Amino acid sequence: MKKVLRSASSLALLLSLVACAPLSLDFLRPQAQGLDTMTQKVGHEAPELAFSFEFDDKADAAEGEVGSGYIVVTQDGKELQALPHAFEMPRERLDASGWLQFRDFNGDGLLDFKVTRLYAMDGKLPVDSLYQFDPKTGRYAQIDLVSNAGEIQPSAPNCVSLKVAGASGSPKVESHCYVAASGRWVRGTPAAARRGAAPDRVDAVCDSGAPELVACRRARIEQDKALLTLVRDYRAGRMQSLQAEHGKSYAQSYARHQDLDHSRWREYRDARCATQSREQAVPVKALPASVELCRYEWARDQLRRYKDQMARLGEVKGAKVRQ
């Protein structure tokens, strides 16, 4: 059913084109440079899963790139989940038979996987995503704390290093570790993680299945703080580039407008979430928690977008330095 829904728009387009004029159907055949299906046993008592990549309608939208689609996870031929992903890299830079890298990143005895979106070439940092297997659900979930920001590499047991582009364009390295006691990834040294340090405040979670007011409000506040920090880092990086290209006044004007845009975004988010919760006829007692959950999710998504922009800003600066 999921595959039928994802293919509906493609079929509609095909039928309309065929009705207008004769059309070669060669493009419907499997892509010659597609990705091989990978099979992996997740753990001793966990099932063997198959991983394939299903292109969407936007595949090859950028000339020479692999394109976007879904990482489809199946067990015994039954689809378990479809994870959206885009390979923004030349086809020749992607290993068709090893496009996922399996490893027990969090040390729970079950294999997680890393996948690259942007490839390291011409001095650029790759941009990776980390997906962790959840034995309770039998599904994979993306680790937002480290994904879509830079290059992820295993370091100490249960830890990864994350190399990201700093505001100046030069790379910086962060350490992130998994704390089994809390079930969270935290930012910090392996020693801090072994001592059972409290989860990184950025990684606070509001349970979307059963939102609770205090927990959701705390998570939303910490997400807003993390987002504001990243907004400021991005603004500083952009100002350096704009000042070099257009002068100090232009850069300062950009900074003022960027601050204003972020403030307006928060105001719109808060108002929209309040309206959305009322429109969904949420019970009065549950309304505050529902609003906080909505605000938390908006902040989380905005944080992902700024991580992506920071990664791209680092690429642009790196290219200018090489020139």
Side-chain angles (χ1 to χ4, degrees), residues 245-284:
E245 295 174 5
H246 303 289
K248 185 176 181 179
S249 296
Y250 188 94
Q252 291 176 337
S253 177
Y254 161 80
R256 288 192 297 270
H257 281 88
Q258 203 245 12
D259 285 342
L260 184 60
D261 286 346
H262 182 64
S263 297
R264 286 175 174 171
W265 172 85
R266 286 191 58 175
E267 292 173 0
Y268 174 78
R269 176 201 65 179
D270 292 350
R272 184 69 190 92
C273 284
T275 302
Q276 178 178 311
S277 296
R278 289 195 296 269
E279 290 174 345
Q280 293 175 344
V282 175
V284 174

Side-chain angles (χ1 to χ4, degrees), residues 118 124-125 127 165 311-320 322:
L118 293 173
K124 300 176 184 176
L125 285 173
V127 175
R312 294 181 182 279
L313 179 63
E315 295 171 12
V316 171
K317 289 192 172 185
K320 288 181 178 179
R322 291 189 298 275

Side-chain angles (χ1 to χ4, degrees), residues 15 25 33 48 66 80 90 98 138 197 219 237 267 274 300:
L15 291 175
L25 301 183
Q33 297 190 50
E48 181 178 76
V66 177
L80 300 179
E267 292 173 0
R300 180 190 59 193

Side-chain angles (χ1 to χ4, degrees), residues 113-133:
F113 71 81
K114 183 185 80 168
V115 59
T116 300
R117 178 167 60 84
L118 293 173
Y119 195 84
M121 55 186 301
D122 299 332
K124 300 176 184 176
L125 285 173
V127 175
D128 299 325
S129 292
L130 178 61
Y131 287 86
Q132 180 174 298
F133 184 77

